[in-house]
Amino acid sequence: IGIAVGNICCGILASLTYDYSQNVDGYLIDPLEFEASPSKQEFNRKHLFEPGSLSLSKADAISRCWTGSQKRDTARAAGWSVMYSSDYNISVTLIPKAGSSTMREVLPPLGFEQFGYGRLPRDRELFHATITRDPLSRFLSGYKEVMYRYNIYGVEHRRVYAHDIQRRYARFLQHLNGKDKTEILDIYHANTNETLKTKMDMFETFVEDFDGEDMFDPHFALQTPSHWDPFRPKKMLHYDLTMDLANLTYGLSLFFKKMNLPSLSESKGSIRHRNRDSDRLDLAYVQDHTIRKICRIAALDYCCLNYRLPEACRKPNILPGERVMCQWVPQEAAPQNQYQEGQITFALV
């Protein structure tokens, strides 16, 4: 694939790593902004590359991301909450299902407070940190969290219930029709192949109907829109440190050491694993087309957070228009010349 970057043209394979940060100051953007743009013709195959192939750090990838309009950003954001310390001048952005429970556990004993991002002081130079998570893993965890919070299986007495789920997403509940409480609990624990199959059928039906636009619960919202800077319009935060949930123990140790914080053990908190262990979901039972739908829903996160796609989303037999790729648009090809910098977006090809 020949990828043109400004005045530089490099012939490379999409699966290879290319460091755009050495050549341009770019943004990752949501292509929905440009569906009607005359410049859409400029979004062509020679600028495509695979998610996770950038040599950029996640912090740099996020800073080059543009998620779309401010109105849609707000609707799609996973949260606008931070942990803040005035003593250490540190702000940690919290993202549901990406270590937020752990940060609320380990940081308050060190004097951190939790509040909305808009309350952060603007007259201080802050150290910004956050945790990111593989989008597929986070979607599965978010689904399990929503099933618990909406009391789908009757395992908890909650203030929200199954009937609070939007009607257009509620077809998956039909798999529980005619079953008593004991049978529903058996499906929740999925101790047999039959109950596990029913549970996975529910999940696949939910994904089939879920469009990713109406984020009725923050645990389904994308991670990326929560990272734009409320103090700088159309700009993303530039993080001093990003930690990956898959290696959170190491990330927290690095964070504590870098910021001269007391050790993790001294914080009297601990890394929490709130994912419901008894709520079994097995990807081996999920069909490829369902995983591909999740990849399309989370395409913005795959590109903006520089995560590699799961194998099901990289197979050669994917239908046209359903393959998730990232896309580089040089400065001169930017839609309507709206931005001076070059830009990166995702594309379905």
Side-chain angles (χ1 to χ4, degrees), residues 100-330:
S100 58
S101 296
T102 291
M103 301 311 275
R104 285 194 292 265
E105 178 86 8
V106 303
L107 294 181
L110 303 178
F112 282 73
E113 299 179 85
Q114 179 180 353
F115 48 67
Y117 194 90
R119 288 180 54 195
L120 285 177
R122 304 183 63 173
D123 58 350
R124 290 191 180 192
E125 192 70 26
L126 299 178
F127 182 94
H128 291 284
T130 194
I131 302 171
T132 66
R133 183 173 187 175
D134 173 82
L136 176 59
S137 171
R138 183 173 175 272
F139 188 93
L140 290 171
S141 181
Y143 174 83
K144 292 165 70 172
E145 187 72 29
V146 168
M147 295 304 100
Y148 171 80
R149 288 175 177 266
Y150 284 73
N151 201 32
I152 301 302
Y153 302 108
V155 295
E156 286 286 337
H157 180 70
R158 312 292 295 181
R159 287 183 292 180
V160 290
Y161 301 96
H163 61 256
D164 293 311
I165 294 179
Q166 274 87 336
R167 183 173 299 177
R168 61 177 169 149
Y169 299 147
R171 186 169 61 94
F172 76 105
L173 296 173
Q174 294 177 3
H175 293 281
L176 301 179
N177 288 349
K179 293 180 169 39
D180 60 30
K181 290 183 178 180
T182 300
E183 291 172 315
I184 291 175
L185 278 176
D186 286 343
I187 293 171
Y188 170 73
H189 294 294
N191 292 323
T192 67
N193 289 337
E194 182 181 356
T195 56
L196 179 59
K197 182 182 184 304
T198 300
K199 192 170 191 178
M200 301 314 298
D201 286 345
M202 289 176 63
F203 175 72
E204 297 218 27
T205 301
F206 178 84
V207 174
E208 182 179 343
D209 293 339
F210 189 63
D211 57 17
E213 286 298 314
D214 185 358
M215 301 297 186
F216 69 93
D217 187 280
H219 297 92
F220 282 131
L222 299 179
Q223 300 171 74
T224 304
S226 290
H227 295 307
W228 68 241
D229 191 334
F231 300 138
R232 299 187 305 156
K234 299 183 180 180
K235 296 287 186 180
M236 302 297 288
L237 281 169
H238 192 284
Y239 287 100
D240 301 286
L241 177 68
T242 59
M243 297 168 276
D244 194 307
L245 187 69
N247 299 297
L248 188 55
T249 300
Y250 169 78
L252 283 177
S253 299
L254 181 66
F255 173 54
F256 275 56
K257 183 177 180 179
K258 186 178 183 68
M259 300 310 299
N260 294 317
L261 294 169
S263 67
L264 185 58
S265 60
E266 292 180 58
S267 76
K268 301 179 181 179
S270 60
I271 295 178
R272 298 187 63 182
H273 301 279
R274 290 187 58 189
N275 219 338
R276 318 298 174 187
D277 292 335
S278 59
D279 190 359
R280 181 185 174 195
L281 282 176
D282 192 338
L283 273 178
Y285 289 82
V286 180
Q287 298 184 66
D288 281 356
H289 71 81
T290 300
I291 296 178
R292 290 169 188 166
K293 173 75 176 292
I294 296 172
C295 287
R296 296 196 298 274
I297 291 171
L300 184 65
D301 281 351
Y302 274 110
C303 287
C304 285
L305 304 180
N306 201 22
Y307 276 103
R308 185 172 171 81
L309 291 169
E311 182 181 359
C313 300
R314 292 185 279 113
K315 290 182 177 180
N317 61 337
I318 298 177
L319 294 174
E322 295 188 357
R323 181 180 297 278
V324 174
M325 296 290 285
C326 302
Q327 191 169 35
W328 182 258
V329 183

Side-chain angles (χ1 to χ4, degrees), residues 1 3 12-21 28 47-58 61 301-309 314 324-328 344-345:
I1 299 176
I3 298 185
I12 63 171
L13 295 175
S15 59
L16 296 181
T17 297
Y18 184 73
D19 189 352
Y20 294 105
S21 65
L28 297 165
H47 301 303
L48 296 178
F49 60 95
E50 290 185 351
S53 65
L54 289 176
S55 61
L56 298 174
S57 68
K58 283 182 169 51
D301 281 351
Y302 274 110
C303 287
C304 285
L305 304 180
N306 201 22
Y307 276 103
R308 185 172 171 81
L309 291 169
R314 292 185 279 113
V324 174
M325 296 290 285
C326 302
Q327 191 169 35
W328 182 258
I344 298 177
T345 182

